[in-house]
Amino acid sequence: LERTFSIIKPDATRRNLTGAINKKFEDAGLRVVAQKRIQLSKAQAGEFYKVHAERPFYDELCEFMASAPIVAQVLEGEGAIAKNREVMGATNPSDAAAGTIRAEFAESVGENSVHGSDAPETAAVEIAYFFSGLELV
Ligand code: ATP
Ligand code: MG
């Protein structure tokens, strides 16, 4: 089974939406196999999102990701990477399909409730950045 890395972002943890978001994952056949609540420093958020360093929203994105605790997760299932991105919906909630997490919960294109890895290589790097081998069973 494939695994992917997920973050429940600060806008969602602030509104106590962790359970509601996990229900969407579980209903879609994704299993939460690792999960922890942590607070990133702005520097750690910047490292995680460094591919976006040249984008105009980068500073705001790093501030946001460090503004409250996040829930870092590993999700497992058949075709987990694509399935997770389908359940998340489009980056901008106004483009997100009905029933997706971002359509239901996201506040804006920046504060959009969840992150999900976009490819097997990024999933492997992101999982290893947040979880040790001992935490993955
Ligand atoms: P993520 O990588 O968080 O799963 P994504 O792959 O849908 O989301 P990316 O293009 O990788 O979208 O952007 C990363 C994150 O940067 C977005 O999820 C969002 O929080 C933020 N972001 C993207 N575009 C904008 C924008 N135009 N204005 C503000 N923030 C943005
Ligand atoms: Mg992305």
Side-chain angles (χ1 to χ4, degrees):
L1 288 176
E2 191 172 65
R3 288 184 169 188
T4 191
F5 178 70
S6 165
I7 292 178
I8 301 178
K9 294 184 179 182
D11 66 288
T13 62
R14 258 190 219 112
R15 287 175 290 148
N16 214 17
L17 291 172
T18 299
I21 289 172
N22 279 345
K23 173 139 176 44
K24 294 272 196 196
F25 292 145
E26 291 178 340
D27 287 348
L30 292 166
R31 183 181 301 275
V32 181
V33 297
Q35 172 167 273
K36 58 188 170 190
R37 182 174 182 266
I38 53 181
Q39 184 148 10
L40 296 176
S41 66
K42 194 178 169 188
Q44 289 167 328
E47 172 65 24
F48 178 72
Y49 273 126
K50 66 186 174 198
V51 295
H52 297 304
E54 303 309 319
R55 309 280 283 277
F57 56 79
Y58 180 66
D59 192 66
E60 179 193 330
L61 176 61
C62 298
E63 287 277 357
F64 164 61
M65 290 299 290
S67 68
I70 61 166
V71 176
Q73 311 176 295
V74 179
L75 306 180
E76 181 182 84
E78 215 168 290
I81 295 169
K83 190 174 280 179
N84 177 40
R85 289 185 68 87
E86 195 180 306
V87 176
M88 288 197 299
T91 309
N92 188 334
S94 52
D95 301 330
T100 62
I101 291 168
R102 283 165 169 167
E104 281 190 25
F105 302 126
E107 302 199 293
S108 66
V109 64
E111 305 206 0
N112 60 2
S113 304
V114 280
H115 159 81
S117 306
D118 55 16
E121 302 69 38
T122 47
V125 169
E126 292 172 1
I127 288 170
Y129 186 68
F130 284 92
F131 291 94
S132 76
L134 277 176
E135 294 174 305
L136 295 167
V137 293

